[in-house]
Amino acid sequence: MERLSSIPAVQSRSRPRSPLAIALCVLIAAPMTAPAQEKPAPRELEQPVFARMLRSGDSAKPLLSLTEAGAKPLDTREAKLDLRIAFTTSKIWDPKGKKFDTVKLRSYQSPGTNPEVPFLAPTIVTSPGETVRIALDNQLPPQPDCHPADINVPHCFNSTNLHSHGLWVSPTGNSDNVLLTLRPGVKFEYEYNLPADHPAGTFWYHPHLHGSTALQVSSGMAGALLVRGERLPASDRTGDIDTLLRDPDGAAMHERLLIFQQVAYACRDSKGKIRTDDETGFWTCDENDVGEIEKYDDQFGFGVWQKSGRHTSINGTVLPTFDDLVAGRIERWRLLHAGVRDTVNLQFREMKAASASIEGLSGKALDNWVSKNCTGAPLKQFEVASDGLTHAKTIVKSENMLQPGYRSDALVVFPKAGRYCVLDAFAPASASITNAAEDRQLLGIADVTGDAKVADVEAYVTDALVASAHKRMPEGVRDSIVAGLRDHLRLDAFVPHKTITKSEVNGKGQTVVFDIKDKIVDGKKVGDIYLVDGKPYDPSAARDLILGQTEEWHLTSQRGGHPFHIHVNPFQIVSILDKNGKEVSVTGDLDKNGNVTDSQYANLQGTWKDTLFVKDGYNLYVRTRYERYIGEYVLHCHILDHEDQGMMQNVRVLVPDGKGGGISTTSHH
């Protein structure tokens, strides 16, 4: 019998299962029925479970290869995960009601799924050179006649597919092909062949079928995909940041994976209207209600998340407590915004001693509690990578503006023992998806123990990384790496891609314009039309690019802010100009007195990303290479309900024809 193995790459604290966990174990194994209300279980933050993947080298009956020492197990460098999609009935904590709401949502289920947090997919861990196979089994019920006349009207909520967000793999066949449709009852195996030079970093996976993406991701169908690397830098090549981020004893630096989700479930009255609280107007559920996500018109859209009163969850838990933190310990926090549309502005602030309990607080009452008790200066976050790609220089932040699809790898140190607020702080109007100042929200509380007291956190982190470099980096590059770290934590030896110079650009140039127009019928506005380059999504059309060329892209938006995301090939940021033509990719947005009003573009010049927020009226310039992979994929706005309603465009990378053009190897879909 074959042996299943998992990689215990992130340390987490195990604890006895609560009555809720036992009840949910039964739910996972048995037909899904609504559980009875129970006394709330402790809401300590759990680390996401790791996918139980069958690895070729772990088989009890492996293939054998002949060596001089005799027969040896043959590791074909493959790992397989079984991933089922089905409706799951479980519970989500409602802080204002001090109770769990029963919900029925589409979810991923796999061996090892945590029954306490079923609306969070398992974390896949892989490495460069490995092939990851995901056997997707769509067990959602059939939906006959789900295809509308307009493809940009949300539809077919039980059909799906899979996207490996950020992976540098082929977009065709059964690889990262988001143009496939997997209907209910269909089984399909995806195969991601990671090249040997794939960057090590934080990536993720989620559904990506046009018409149902937002609804499925908002239901919690998303998981982290970590690529771990062991390549040391050398004089002629860069290495993996993982080799530097080590504890004094040589073990991988203590890690913490935080997946932010915004599950917009709603309970409805007998007329189908969302049930709301008479006093606050927030969405609510009665004792016998079951929350669901089934509609776009009133569960997604401008300002809806704030009006709902729902809370951003971390690792599937609402308002968790972090209770295994140690003062003075440097940790690598892998932050992943797996929400659909609203900005998360992450801050850590020391809490006043003897603060009152937050139990039962929500809305204005909870915000007042935050104003009164979360008064400490924001802690520094040392971002070493974004979107899985290591920076040339660490970006020091006191707030971390995460847009949907963003990932941030940040080193975090709590300088002394105590309690800290984990906050989604106010996002400036210009920095947010909604173009309005978004409400501050408490995400959780961190309990920090230990006797250490760190006065200068930046010097403390620098000394630790310098010590690691002295101990572990190869002799030929050690001195230059140490000198770089001493120079404000430079990480040049670990950047996965070479800088794209202007002289390297040989393509014709590309322009992307996001826009939203009013949909007018009989002289009245009845909705919005979501556009890229003046057109809604057309699956029969594509932007043609040529393999081997290097392009500069110009990104802008004529209405609203939109996170631009393109599949397969990441891009390097060249310049970001505000509405007045001022460069803001170094300083961030400044007021007339030179004070930072929006920090999200600060220090981005020269960095690599795969998702980038495009402010209304700003002009962003990025460069990218088309290497190795041909085929058709997409670019789109990562506000996923915008994508579902037309803010997407197909892209084709063609084989060069030898005359400056390209040859298509596939027909349009």
Side-chain angles (χ1 to χ4, degrees):
M1 184 174 179
E2 293 176 311
R3 176 167 60 90
L4 292 172
S5 70
S6 62
I7 300 181
V10 176
Q11 300 177 36
S12 63
R13 184 182 56 81
S14 61
R15 58 185 172 88
R17 288 257 176 101
S18 66
L20 175 65
I22 296 171
L24 290 176
C25 282
V26 174
L27 284 171
I28 295 298
M32 300 299 173
T33 57
Q37 292 290 339
E38 300 171 6
K39 184 179 179 180
R43 295 187 304 280
E44 290 91 352
L45 183 73
E46 296 281 357
Q47 284 292 285
V49 298
F50 285 89
R52 291 175 56 194
M53 305 180 71
L54 178 65
R55 283 194 149 78
S56 53
D58 296 330
S59 175
K61 294 182 179 179
L63 294 172
L64 299 178
S65 61
L66 183 62
T67 70
E68 292 182 0
K72 178 182 177 182
L74 177 64
D75 184 356
T76 56
R77 297 279 289 161
E78 293 188 352
K80 181 179 178 181
L81 171 66
D82 291 322
L83 200 60
R84 179 179 62 169
I85 303 171
F87 275 106
T88 298
T89 301
S90 186
K91 296 180 178 180
I92 294 178
W93 179 249
D94 173 21
K96 64 180 179 296
K98 293 189 277 188
K99 62 181 177 61
F100 284 101
D101 287 338
T102 300
V103 294
K104 180 183 178 183
L105 303 174
R106 296 162 182 83
S107 74
Y108 288 130
Q109 301 173 5
S110 74
T113 300
N114 187 347
E116 294 194 57
V117 281
F119 305 120
L120 180 68
T123 298
I124 295 172
V125 180
T126 184
S127 57
E130 185 170 62
T131 294
V132 176
R133 299 180 184 275
I134 301 178
L136 207 61
D137 181 2
N138 185 359
Q139 294 187 5
L140 293 171
Q143 278 187 306
D145 304 322
C146 67
H147 298 280
D150 182 354
I151 193 173
N152 294 314
V153 173
H155 59 281
C156 296
F157 300 155
N158 289 353
S159 296
T160 193
N161 61 21
L162 195 66
H163 172 43
S164 56
H165 185 128
L167 285 194
W168 187 37
V169 295
S170 170
T172 62
N174 65 335
S175 186
D176 187 27
N177 188 345
V178 300
L179 301 177
L180 296 174
T181 299
L182 306 180
R183 305 198 189 285
V186 172
K187 297 180 180 179
F188 184 83
E189 185 170 280
Y190 281 85
E191 179 181 296
Y192 304 135
N193 296 297
L194 277 69
D197 53 347
H198 193 289
T202 304
F203 306 94
W204 65 302
Y205 64 97
H206 61 84
H208 205 297
L209 182 64
H210 183 64
S212 65
T213 303
L215 183 141
Q216 293 183 4
V217 173
S218 183
S219 299
M221 293 177 62
L225 198 162
L226 309 183
V227 180
R228 297 198 180 280
E230 300 177 347
R231 297 165 297 199
L232 286 164
S235 58
D236 59 347
R237 66 178 184 272
T238 58
D240 296 321
I241 191 68
D242 299 9
T243 61
L244 178 69
L245 302 184
R246 297 277 172 176
D247 286 337
D249 60 2
M253 182 177 288
H254 190 99
E255 290 189 356
R256 198 171 298 271
L257 174 59
L258 271 62
I259 301 176
F260 301 95
Q261 293 174 294
Q262 294 154 339
V263 182
Y265 68 92
C267 296
R268 298 181 182 272
D269 61 21
S270 59
K271 296 180 180 180
K273 190 176 180 180
I274 293 178
R275 198 183 300 281
T276 59
D277 180 80
D278 292 337
E279 182 179 348
T280 65
F282 290 157
W283 296 359
T284 188
C285 294
D286 287 350
E287 184 176 351
N288 296 321
D289 287 340
V290 177
E292 296 180 321
I293 302 178
E294 294 293 341
K295 293 185 178 182
Y296 274 67
D297 58 352
D298 60 358
Q299 287 184 267
F300 299 94
F302 181 85
V304 171
W305 178 251
Q306 286 77 28
K307 292 177 183 177
S308 75
R310 298 283 182 237
H311 286 251
T312 299
S313 62
I314 304 179
N315 299 349
T317 303
V318 173
L319 284 177
T321 297
F322 300 69
D323 63 349
D324 58 344
L325 293 162
V326 179
R329 182 170 68 190
I330 303 174
E331 295 189 351
R332 178 182 186 174
W333 288 48
R334 297 181 184 260
L335 311 172
L336 192 170
H337 191 332
V340 169
R341 61 159 33 241
D342 282 79
T343 310
V344 171
N345 183 4
L346 184 67
Q347 286 188 4
F348 306 100
R349 289 180 179 269
E350 188 175 2
M351 187 191 306
K352 277 186 177 180
S355 298
S357 171
I358 63 171
E359 204 66 38
L361 299 181
S362 64
K364 291 183 179 179
L366 187 57
D367 185 58
N368 289 337
W369 183 95
V370 170
S371 298
K372 182 178 179 180
N373 296 290
C374 304
T375 56
L379 302 188
K380 290 183 178 179
Q381 303 172 50
F382 300 86
E383 186 181 77
V384 298
S386 62
D387 294 353
L389 305 169
T390 302
H391 295 319
K393 181 180 179 181
T394 302
I395 300 176
V396 183
K397 302 180 173 185
S398 59
E399 59 180 2
N400 202 333
M401 206 81 69
L402 302 170
Q403 305 290 2
Y406 276 28
R407 288 90 65 213
S408 171
D409 283 47
L411 305 185
V412 175
V413 181
F414 289 89
K416 63 179 181 178
R419 305 191 84 199
Y420 293 79
C421 299
V422 183
L423 292 172
D424 178 0
F426 284 115
S430 61
S432 74
I433 297 297
T434 61
N435 278 341
E438 296 185 354
D439 293 338
R440 176 172 51 188
Q441 189 177 75
L442 183 69
L443 297 174
I445 293 175
D447 281 332
V448 181
T449 61
D451 299 325
K453 292 185 178 180
V454 181
D456 187 338
V457 176
E458 185 165 353
Y460 185 77
V461 170
T462 300
D463 289 345
L465 295 185
V466 165
S468 178
H470 275 302
K471 190 172 183 179
R472 296 177 186 90
M473 293 299 106
E475 185 176 352
V477 294
R478 185 183 304 141
D479 290 345
S480 63
I481 290 173
V482 168
L485 291 169
R486 293 286 188 202
D487 181 18
H488 303 287
L489 292 168
R490 292 199 63 84
L491 300 168
D492 305 82
F494 305 96
V495 180
H497 301 293
K498 292 181 179 179
T499 290
I500 301 176
T501 62
K502 187 174 182 179
S503 62
E504 185 184 341
V505 177
N506 57 6
K508 63 182 181 181
Q510 303 292 326
T511 299
V512 173
V513 181
F514 290 125
D515 197 9
I516 305 173
K517 298 292 187 184
D518 293 342
K519 185 176 183 179
I520 306 296
V521 176
D522 297 330
K524 295 182 179 180
K525 180 181 176 180
V526 296
D528 294 311
I529 304 173
Y530 297 88
L531 309 170
V532 177
D533 299 337
K535 298 177 181 178
Y537 179 60
D538 179 359
S540 67
R543 178 191 301 256
D544 285 342
L545 305 167
I546 300 173
L547 186 71
Q549 287 194 350
T550 299
E551 295 268 23
E552 181 165 292
W553 291 63
H554 173 206
L555 314 174
T556 191
S557 170
Q558 295 182 346
R559 182 179 173 187
H562 305 276
F564 167 81
H565 173 52
I566 189 167
H567 293 198
V568 184
N569 296 295
F571 49 81
Q572 188 175 30
I573 297 170
V574 176
S575 178
I576 301 176
L577 305 179
D578 69 10
K579 291 181 179 181
N580 299 315
K582 183 179 179 181
E583 179 66 62
V584 295
S585 66
V586 177
T587 62
D589 286 359
L590 306 176
D591 62 18
K592 62 182 180 180
N593 297 317
N595 299 314
V596 177
T597 58
D598 181 5
S599 66
Q600 70 172 315
Y601 290 145
N603 301 301
L604 284 188
Q605 191 173 81
T607 62
W608 288 84
K609 287 180 66 64
D610 61 49
T611 309
L612 180 61
F613 188 62
V614 181
K615 285 190 185 182
D616 188 339
Y618 281 48
N619 291 284
L620 292 77
Y621 297 89
V622 303
R623 293 174 186 158
T624 186
R625 303 180 178 99
Y626 307 111
E627 300 177 293
R628 190 169 298 169
Y629 300 114
I630 61 172
E632 191 165 350
Y633 49 97
V634 296
L635 62 83
H636 61 92
C637 168
H638 220 282
I639 303 174
L640 295 179
D641 52 299
H642 286 185
E643 180 259 296
D644 279 331
Q645 296 177 90
M647 200 171 276
M648 184 166 77
Q649 185 180 85
N650 284 9
V651 173
R652 290 191 306 176
V653 177
L654 308 177
V655 175
D657 64 3
K659 302 176 183 179
I663 302 171
S664 175
T665 58
T666 60
S667 61
H668 280 123
H669 290 256

